[in-house]
Amino acid sequence: MTASTFLFGANVHANGIRQHYLRYGGGRHAGRPAILLIPGITSPAVTWGFVAERFGRQFDTYVLDVRGRGLSESGPHLDYGIDACADDVNAFIAALGLTDCILIGHSMGARFAIRASVRGGGEGLRQLVLIDPPVSGPGRRPYPSGLPWYVDSIRQSLKGMDADAMRAFCPTWTEEQLRLRAEWLHTCYEPAIVRTYEGFHQDDIHADLPKLPVPALLIVAGRGGVIQPEDEEEIVRLQPSIRIARVPNAGHMIPWDDLDGFFAAFGDSLGHPLA
């Protein structure tokens, strides 16, 4: 059995808030870039642990709890817009002194990664990896998942729910995946999730694509329904240097559906094998 690469969870004060993160791999990978992973709309850092474990075999890896999720600061006093969350990412990178960093974002996290790279001018960044980001926005087709799917499951989790109850929302997931989501979903602050969902339709992330300051890889879920071939064509027009990889047999939650296919999609883009 492969030894765990998990090191610890910790908090840092950055961009004026408490940001919680999990660390894998650590200093044994000195000389290689660090990885900072930004999860999606209702995915606390701990739910990406099985992914970070493998990244941690080759890289010093950090998984961030986005504000309003997990153990990071939450509450009605915070701004949950894309700019504030992007600034959290840049402040986190600066606070931990990550001067050579690969920023990997899934779904919402990919949109935050795009905006963070543009607002920060690429400071400390080597590369972006954008995993199936929503391509909705002003005048565009809506994001395929409806807001009630998120809100209803969060409200049920606040009362307490088990894996069987979670299965109604995530029918293809394993028992272990369902248990973990049922345990942690209550930490997703509903107003933060609503604000993010609204941002999927209000924020023009496409306007940022021509301004990306570092190389980028786009990973597309073949069965996700989020990014269509015409969206890929538009993204390439806006950012001709972007590379695209597909995971044909995975839905939007790519690692949950095809973990090996997810890592294979990186190819040699990170400079070290992920197998």
Side-chain angles (χ1 to χ4, degrees):
M1 187 177 196
T2 305
S4 173
T5 64
F6 176 69
L7 295 177
F8 56 80
N11 298 282
V12 63
H13 189 77
N15 197 30
I17 69 166
R18 183 190 72 254
Q19 298 194 46
H20 176 260
Y21 65 96
L22 303 176
R23 189 177 181 187
Y24 297 77
R28 64 180 177 169
H29 301 311
R32 298 182 180 181
I35 282 178
L36 174 57
L37 178 56
I38 314 298
I41 184 170
T42 54
S43 294
V46 66
T47 64
W48 277 78
F50 73 108
V51 179
E53 282 279 5
R54 191 178 298 191
F55 278 127
R57 297 178 194 171
Q58 299 292 340
F59 299 94
D60 189 12
T61 301
Y62 301 79
V63 190
L64 186 64
D65 268 330
V66 175
R67 61 169 64 196
R69 288 101 172 152
L71 300 181
S72 284
E73 192 165 339
S74 185
H77 61 293
L78 293 183
D79 176 2
Y80 295 102
I82 189 172
D83 288 344
C85 294
D87 290 346
D88 284 349
V89 173
N90 288 328
F92 181 88
I93 290 170
L96 269 67
L98 305 180
T99 58
D100 185 16
C101 179
I102 299 169
L103 186 54
I104 301 176
H106 172 250
S107 193
M108 171 199 76
R111 288 171 67 97
F112 290 174
I114 291 169
R115 184 60 57 88
S117 73
V118 171
R119 285 175 69 84
E123 185 70 26
L125 296 181
R126 172 185 291 207
Q127 183 181 350
L128 297 176
V129 180
L130 311 172
I131 306 166
D132 220 40
V135 291
S136 45
R140 298 178 177 274
R141 71 175 187 277
Y143 184 62
S145 295
L147 182 59
W149 186 90
Y150 300 102
V151 172
D152 292 350
S153 59
I154 290 170
R155 290 179 180 177
Q156 191 168 341
S157 74
L158 288 169
K159 298 175 183 177
M161 67 190 306
D162 59 14
D164 287 339
M166 184 58 72
R167 187 172 286 107
F169 297 93
C170 307
T172 65
W173 287 23
T174 67
E175 188 77 10
E176 182 180 8
Q177 292 165 349
L178 292 167
R179 283 200 304 268
L180 190 62
R181 183 168 177 83
E183 178 185 1
W184 281 88
L185 185 60
H186 74 92
T187 68
C188 294
Y189 180 54
E190 183 179 323
I193 277 52
V194 172
R195 177 68 184 88
T196 294
Y197 189 86
E198 291 171 344
F200 285 173
H201 302 89
Q202 296 169 356
D203 300 322
D204 184 8
I205 206 68
H206 290 76
D208 290 340
L209 292 174
K211 307 172 189 174
L212 296 184
V214 294
L217 169 66
L218 175 67
I219 297 180
V220 177
R223 296 190 289 104
V226 174
I227 299 178
Q228 303 292 344
E230 59 269 25
D231 301 315
E232 295 182 31
E233 293 171 4
E234 181 182 14
I235 290 168
V236 170
R237 285 197 302 272
L238 293 169
Q239 180 51 254
S241 68
I242 199 166
R243 293 170 294 158
I244 298 179
R246 298 171 188 83
V247 187
N249 297 317
H252 181 59
M253 303 296 287
I254 299 176
W256 280 254
D257 289 341
D258 185 357
L259 186 61
D260 289 336
F262 170 73
F263 284 108
F266 285 83
D268 61 358
S269 64
L270 303 188
H272 299 277
L274 294 172

